[in-house]
Amino acid sequence: EELGKFISKVLKPGSEVLSIEELGSGMHGTGFLIKVKTKGREERYILKTIHEGGFGHEYPSDRAKLVVDALLNYPSLPKGNKFLAAGSVQEDGSLKDLGNPKDLFMIVEEVQGEDFWNELKRTRDVGKADQKGKDTLIKLADYLAELHSIKPENQIVQERYMKFVRDFIGSGELT
């Protein structure tokens, strides 16, 4: 039902989903054949999902990266199939179109405090860690120790934690 609404709104206004057939499930995801009737003509589409666990897909952000990369790169592939839509499944089960993003953004709540980066720059400029810098570093170390002492509640959370550590260590964010 939700997929029919999505296709009718995003791909083919006024279309009707005739059938959805699972094509198969592999190591990375599952493919579905979707048959749609539009203006008396049958059209066929493939919906691809990406499995949550393993292969670096533990977080929704990992799967989103693959989808956004495909969205941006499919058009430049010679003889490639046309990328038609990218979407997300919402908490209520509805489907939302990602559109054709040039870039992405996020909005978060404001918290009060000072960016740790400013303290690092201040310490660099002073040339040594003074008591304020040491106190700030101890607060950060205490927070990180508390954060990493939380035991994963299940295997999926454990896999996500390990992936986060791997990604962080290999990330350009550290340079």
Side-chain angles (χ1 to χ4, degrees), residues 29-67:
T30 303
F32 298 88
L33 173 64
I34 305 168
K35 294 180 184 176
V36 176
K37 186 176 182 179
T38 307
K39 298 179 183 173
R41 192 172 132 219
E42 184 179 303
E43 298 180 13
R44 297 160 62 101
Y45 302 103
I46 301 296
L47 181 142
K48 297 168 89 174
T49 66
I50 304 167
H51 293 315
E52 180 176 340
F55 301 103
H57 306 157
E58 288 84 355
Y59 285 101
S61 58
D62 302 321
R63 298 183 295 281
K65 181 187 181 325
L66 294 174
V67 171

Side-chain angles (χ1 to χ4, degrees), residues 96-165:
K96 299 285 184 185
D97 181 33
L98 187 57
N100 191 11
K102 176 182 174 192
D103 210 341
L104 303 170
F105 64 89
M106 62 182 172
I107 298 173
V108 300
E109 69 178 352
E110 180 188 28
V111 295
Q112 298 299 313
E114 187 177 331
D115 190 339
F116 183 63
W117 182 247
N118 292 331
E119 181 58 38
L120 293 175
K121 288 192 292 188
R122 192 185 69 73
T123 301
R124 178 198 63 201
D125 294 344
V126 171
K128 65 177 183 167
D130 57 13
Q131 193 57 48
K132 180 180 185 237
K134 290 176 185 176
D135 292 344
T136 302
L137 186 58
I138 288 169
K139 285 180 187 174
L140 177 61
D142 288 345
Y143 172 72
L144 291 173
E146 177 185 347
L147 185 64
H148 290 282
S149 70
I150 299 170
K151 300 293 182 214
E153 58 199 47
N154 59 48
Q155 183 66 28
I156 291 173
V157 176
Q158 175 67 30
E159 289 173 6
R160 286 179 178 173
Y161 174 79
M162 293 307 295
K163 182 186 183 318
F164 176 80
V165 171

